[in-house]
């Protein structure tokens, strides 16, 4: 699902911000992370400027969502054998998407998924075997490793986008 986070400060000590994506993080320690982020300092015309910035961010998020939906459909359409899954798991270690110690857990999720929905032997099921294991990582590690995993899967299962 897609999430939108907002932040502001009464004393204007940090900028007003909007964050959006499939994972967002807004914390009182000023951590503010997500796929699309806009921020605006508290100045005289901040309120006026936020509307077009927000509209641009929504358009950018819409583009990201469309590509993500196509990516998921693409992954669901790609069959994966155990041999290919094992290869991808080792490549994921090489790419920095998981650690050596997470290999057995990813294999377990591939062989016996925690969710019945991922019983099919597809790239989408394999991708979710990884994310099921890595969702216990701290947020920063999840984001970084998730980017590595996405890049690895996109290289193996490229998405043909119309120009």
């Amino acid at each position: 699902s897609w999430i939108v986070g907002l932040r502001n400060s009464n004393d204007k000590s940090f900028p007003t911000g909007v964050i959006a994506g499939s994972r967002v993080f807004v914390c009182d320690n000023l951590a503010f992370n997500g796929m699309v982020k806009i921020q605006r300092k508290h100045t005289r015309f901040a309120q006026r400027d936020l509307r077009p910035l927000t509209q641009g961010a929504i358009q950018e998020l819409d583009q990201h969502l469309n590509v993500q939906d196509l990516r998921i459909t693409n992954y669901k359409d790609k069959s994966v054998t155990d041999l290919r899954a094992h290869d991808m798991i080792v490549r994921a270690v090489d790419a920095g998407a998981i650690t050596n110690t997470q290999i057995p857990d990813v294999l377990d999720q591939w062989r016996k998924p925690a969710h019945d929905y991922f019983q099919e032997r597809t790239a989408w099921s394999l991708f979710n075997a990884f994310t099921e294991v890595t969702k216990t990582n701290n947020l920063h590690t999840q984001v970084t490793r998730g980017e590595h995993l996405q890049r690895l899967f996109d290289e193996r299962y490229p998405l043909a986008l119309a120009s």
Side-chain angles (χ1 to χ4, degrees):
S1 61
W2 301 99
I3 304 162
V4 175
L6 306 168
R7 120 175 141 176
N8 199 2
S9 64
N10 291 334
D11 66 359
K12 301 179 182 179
S13 59
F14 58 88
T16 298
V18 177
I19 195 91
S22 59
R23 289 182 186 233
V24 302
F25 187 58
V26 181
C27 186
D28 61 1
N29 72 0
L30 303 184
F32 196 58
N33 295 307
M35 187 182 299
V36 176
K37 176 162 98 174
I38 61 168
Q39 295 188 102
R40 177 65 166 80
K41 285 184 175 183
H42 289 277
T43 60
R44 183 174 171 201
F45 298 110
Q47 190 172 10
R48 176 201 67 193
D49 295 346
L50 275 175
R51 182 178 301 266
L53 287 171
T54 303
Q55 289 171 338
I58 289 170
Q59 289 173 346
E60 183 182 343
L61 180 61
D62 186 53
Q63 291 171 355
H64 283 291
L65 297 180
N66 288 333
V67 170
Q68 187 68 2
D69 288 344
L70 291 171
R71 177 181 284 125
I72 290 169
T73 300
N74 182 48
Y75 289 175
K76 286 179 179 179
D77 290 342
K78 305 297 184 205
S79 295
V80 176
T81 64
D82 282 344
L83 185 61
R84 172 57 67 187
H86 296 173
D87 178 62
M88 287 293 284
I89 292 168
V90 171
R91 289 178 186 272
V93 172
D94 291 342
I98 62 170
T99 64
N100 291 338
T101 60
Q102 291 174 314
I103 291 173
D105 295 331
V106 174
L107 281 171
D108 286 346
Q109 283 300 317
W110 170 248
R111 292 174 180 156
K112 295 178 188 143
H115 307 284
D116 291 338
Y117 184 75
F118 300 118
Q119 291 291 335
E120 289 187 51
R121 305 294 74 192
T122 64
W124 182 235
S125 299
L126 180 58
F127 189 87
N128 281 279
F130 285 100
T131 58
E132 184 68 26
V133 170
T134 60
K135 71 182 182 183
T136 59
N137 293 342
N138 70 55
L139 184 65
H140 176 71
T141 303
Q142 274 185 14
V143 170
T144 303
R145 291 190 181 160
E147 290 169 352
H148 296 309
L149 182 65
Q150 190 75 69
R151 202 168 12 262
L152 176 67
F153 269 73
D154 286 348
E155 288 170 3
R156 177 63 185 111
Y157 305 103
L159 185 59
L161 297 174
S163 299

